[in-house]
Amino acid sequence: MSLAKRIIPCLDVDNGRVVKGVQFVDIRDAGDPVEIARRYNEQGADEITFLDITASHEGRDTTVKTVEKMASEVFIPLTVGGGIRECQDIRRMLNAGADKVGINTAAIHNPDFVQEAATRFGSQCIVVAIDAKQVEPATDKHAGRWEIFTHGGRKPTGIDAVEWAVKMTNFGAGEILLTSMDQDGVKKGFDVGLTRAVSEAVSVPVIASGGVGNLQHLVEGITEGHADAVLAASIFHFGEYTVGDAKKYMAERGIEVRV
Amino acid sequence: MTKSVDVAVIDYGMGNLHSVSKALQHISPSSHIWVGDDPDMIKNADRVVYPGVGAIGDCIGEVRKRGLDQVILEVAKTKPLLGICVGMQGMMSHSAESGGVDCLGLFPDHVEFFSEAFKQTTALAAATNNLKVPHMGWNRVAKQQYHPLWNNIEDGARFYFVHSYFVAANNCASAVGVTEYGVPITAMLARDNIFAVQFHPEKSHKDGLQLLSNFMQWDGTS
């Protein structure tokens, strides 16, 4: 096997500034997404994920400009998520230089949108983002059960996360970005049970997200969660670790990475 | 007479071609990079890039609809031509994608579906059981033959792939770079003034930019 497991730093961007974690480090410059993306690119990041959490229209225009600037300086794959509701939004992001788009809430409200988008733009650029919470714990006989939640984990949908992931790949999703709402921000590691359940159920690559607090967590996402890629934000933003540190640590534990 | 450009990136209305032109502009800031579907501009360019994303049926359909198939075949006789991803697959003779499609036939090889290939023998099916499709991410490319586009790139360098269909490397005489994903697949192939890659050099960081830079300096001979 020579395909490398991917490490993907994630930037949460609000009105053209990275907001998660970095604001306490260096208020002057640390919040510029292009600069941060450039730094991660130099450190050997395999992709960049850009989550647009802007609510306003003005903010969306800023996002397009930021994506354009990032794509003309950073030559690794770029995924843009947040606010992708119709084909027009996808076209706009791809034209700005994104390689893939993340679809989350819009897929839940209108699953056919995923099918339409995959047919029109190709599965390779359609990432379905799933936010899941555990609703039944694991037992000796059962791996547990997870449900899809919206509104930052506040609103249950009643949809089973594993079944949903399978449905979305059948609709043409080329990749699943899987976030555990239980673990997100807690820094105690991925929900490896959830990650494994989804990764084994679908035939497309799965990105584990939510909960990374140290480098061992990244290893566990791959070895126990069977993820194809691992996503993290704050461990990199705070300067605790570089992407290079993460790759070195993973390589020493037998995981194939691009160095 | 149309004014000639340094590089024409063929735009047949499918997907994102900005990445390719941005990467070319980045490595060669003084070059005139043109993106479009005007046949005369493409024919008069010093070198041509035939990119592609999406399904091959639509891609080849659009290329034919715009009369660009003849343009590509003509360019392929004379000047440096680079096919990328679906563009490379469009240069083959036939693809199993989109219900089976005849392609441009610049190379005699066929394009197959990973999931079908993986099922072919029991042993292979067992070994490839957990392999995801699309083949997505950074994989190593092993050098098969010398070519100027390998200049300053190490044998075994990693490039970014994303594809569900592939050209088998086993019987591919034109392969100059091969990668493994359950089966050996053709990652780079070449003949005369034509070079094609399955991966995305424009998204493959330093080595990808190096390959594009080599293409910009290539005189079309090997």
Side-chain angles (χ1 to χ4, degrees), chain B residues 128-209:
Chain B
T128 55
N129 201 19
N130 296 318
L131 291 184
K132 304 295 182 76
V133 178
H135 169 220
M136 185 187 285
W138 299 80
N139 209 335
R140 289 189 183 283
V141 176
K143 195 189 280 189
Q144 303 300 296
Q145 308 174 24
Y146 168 78
H147 191 282
L149 265 69
W150 267 110
N151 283 350
N152 297 316
I153 299 172
E154 275 185 38
D155 187 7
R158 287 185 189 275
F159 294 91
Y160 186 79
F161 290 80
V162 50
H163 60 124
S164 301
Y165 290 78
F166 73 104
V167 175
N170 288 338
N171 296 309
C172 181
S174 316
V176 295
V178 168
T179 194
E180 289 280 337
Y181 193 61
V183 291
I185 65 177
T186 304
M188 303 176 178
L189 78 174
R191 73 161 170 84
D192 308 322
N193 51 302
I194 311 171
F195 197 89
V197 290
Q198 178 60 71
F199 51 81
H200 288 273
E202 75 281 12
K203 287 289 160 181
S204 295
H205 201 208
K206 285 181 189 144
D207 288 322
L209 295 179

Side-chain angles (χ1 to χ4, degrees), chain A residues 5 34 37 68 79 81 84 89 102 108 119 122 139 146 159 162 166 183 187 214 231 239 242 257:
Chain A
K5 299 294 181 184
V34 177
E68 271 173 6
T79 301
I84 304 289
D89 300 324
I108 294 163
T119 306
T139 64
W146 296 265
I159 303 168
V162 177
V166 172
Q183 300 303 104
K187 306 195 85 173
N214 61 47
L231 180 141
T242 64
V257 290

Side-chain angles (χ1 to χ4, degrees), chain A residues 77-109:
Chain A
L78 173 62
T79 301
V80 180
I84 304 289
R85 295 187 187 90
E86 47 188 286
C87 283
Q88 190 57 38
D89 300 324
I90 299 177
R91 163 75 52 213
R92 207 169 166 212
M93 286 308 165
L94 296 183
N95 282 345
D99 300 282
K100 316 182 208 180
V101 291
I103 304 175
N104 190 341
T105 318
I108 294 163
H109 293 318

Side-chain angles (χ1 to χ4, degrees), chain A residues 7 10 16 22 29 37 49 62 66 71 75 89 100 105 139 142 150 173 177 193 206 217 229 236 253:
Chain A
I7 298 185
C10 177
V22 294
D29 282 321
T49 288
T62 307
T66 309
F75 297 99
D89 300 324
K100 316 182 208 180
T105 318
T139 64
H142 196 263
T150 59
L177 168 55
V206 173
H217 293 152
F236 298 132
R253 280 147 191 86

